[in-house]
Amino acid sequence: MTTRIADCFAACAREKRAALVTYVMAGDPDPLTAQKIVEALPAAGADIIELGMPFSDPMADGEAIQQAGLRALKAGMSLTGTLATARRFRETNDVTPIVMMGYYNPIYIYGVERFLIDAKAAGVDGLIVVDLPPEMDEELCLPALRSGLAFIRLATPTTDDKRLPTVLKNTSGFVYYVSMTGITGGRIADYSRVTEAVARIKRHTPLPVAVGFGVKTPENAAAIAAGADGVVVGTALITALKATLSADDKATEGSVSAVTELVSALAAAIRNTRKAA
């Protein structure tokens, strides 16, 4: 079955380049500005959009994304509002994949069945739920797959060959390789080890492998793009946005462009990097 995610990676493969996957927090710093950012991402060079679901206890995220979620919640963003962001995006863009990323608690409170129906109707293509291990696939993963939504799993440097088949069993869309242990926002120490890890994962699955955590600059993105099917950037975009906000965290004239200019630079670096054979 063809999907927006599969079509996107296939198109990038034909161009012999990695996909640029951009993470932004829904509702940060306010719903209107966030909507403008999301809608501007494809023209800036984003291939896939990860839409963060704000949550008050984001245990896997570093300070930048934690604060983005808190700003969004303070501005009134909710899971309902996040779905509305995707739905409005789909009014003008039916091509760019949207993956909602976050934690299970808001989905559980919303109601799994209701959430999957509403997410599919809003034009969402996949989910990344970082606190649901494979042993809990009946909770959300399998219902999501039955609903036609990809369920994208994370693999980490500690996911060994014994554990990897379990992680990959019900994974679809792509595999998200976390380039380091710890929380978002760190730095990659050795790009060659990341490339080796991607190659190891690809020996176990035909799915594309995208690499995230620690990609801060166009140079970082190019280094990852040489050996991966996708490059995920989140903290750097959140940080660029934060730098434009007023003292009371309100958007300014340069808020949207700060994000899109960085995305354009990242996209150019990736497009100038041909993937290793």
Side-chain angles (χ1 to χ4, degrees):
M1 181 179 68
T2 184
T3 65
R4 291 188 191 96
I5 294 174
D7 287 347
C8 175
F9 278 108
C12 292
R14 287 194 295 272
E15 296 176 16
K16 293 183 169 54
R17 67 172 179 86
L20 174 58
V21 185
T22 54
Y23 172 96
V24 292
M25 181 67 70
D28 178 34
D30 62 79
L32 180 58
T33 303
Q35 187 76 42
K36 291 178 180 178
I37 290 171
V38 171
E39 292 177 359
L41 288 173
D47 296 299
I48 297 174
I49 296 171
E50 286 184 5
L51 192 58
M53 299 180 278
F55 181 47
S56 57
D57 187 24
M59 59 185 179
D61 292 309
E63 183 178 0
I65 293 180
Q66 287 185 23
Q67 293 301 317
L70 293 176
R71 287 193 298 270
L73 292 171
K74 186 178 179 180
M77 183 51 73
S78 62
L79 187 52
T80 299
T82 304
L83 289 166
T85 299
R87 188 167 55 251
R88 284 191 289 269
F89 177 85
R90 282 284 171 247
E91 292 174 0
T92 57
N93 185 314
D94 194 42
V95 176
T96 304
I98 295 178
V99 174
M100 291 179 65
M101 182 172 185
Y103 299 82
Y104 184 46
N105 182 269
I107 297 172
Y108 177 79
I109 298 300
Y110 191 95
V112 169
E113 184 177 358
R114 175 186 168 214
F115 170 76
L116 293 175
I117 291 170
D118 291 352
K120 189 67 177 175
V124 173
D125 300 285
L127 304 174
I128 301 174
V129 182
V130 299
D131 54 346
L132 282 181
E135 288 75 14
M136 298 179 69
D137 275 357
E138 290 287 350
E139 288 283 333
L140 181 62
C141 173
L142 296 180
L145 295 177
R146 289 192 290 266
S147 297
L149 294 171
F151 201 86
I152 296 147
R153 191 82 70 188
L154 276 66
T156 74
T158 60
T159 308
D160 59 22
D161 284 334
K162 183 178 179 181
R163 176 65 173 169
L164 195 55
T166 302
V167 170
L168 295 174
K169 181 180 179 182
N170 293 315
T171 299
S172 60
F174 63 93
V175 180
Y176 187 139
Y177 179 67
V178 176
S179 63
M180 65 188 73
T181 56
I183 58 176
T184 58
R187 293 185 180 277
I188 298 172
D190 187 345
Y191 290 100
S192 66
R193 294 185 65 179
V194 175
T195 300
E196 290 167 4
V198 170
R200 180 173 66 88
I201 293 169
K202 289 179 74 67
R203 288 195 291 270
H204 291 264
T205 179
L207 291 172
V209 180
V211 176
F213 285 48
V215 182
K216 298 178 180 296
T217 66
E219 292 75 20
N220 296 156
I224 292 296
D229 300 303
V231 180
V232 186
V233 185
T235 296
L237 302 182
I238 300 292
T239 301
L241 172 62
K242 168 61 178 173
T244 71
L245 302 182
S246 66
D248 57 350
D249 284 334
K250 302 298 184 186
T252 63
E253 187 176 340
S255 292
V256 175
S257 61
V259 178
T260 56
E261 287 170 8
L262 178 53
V263 170
S264 294
L266 293 162
I270 290 171
R271 282 165 169 75
N272 288 329
T273 304
R274 288 292 175 260
K275 284 173 52 180

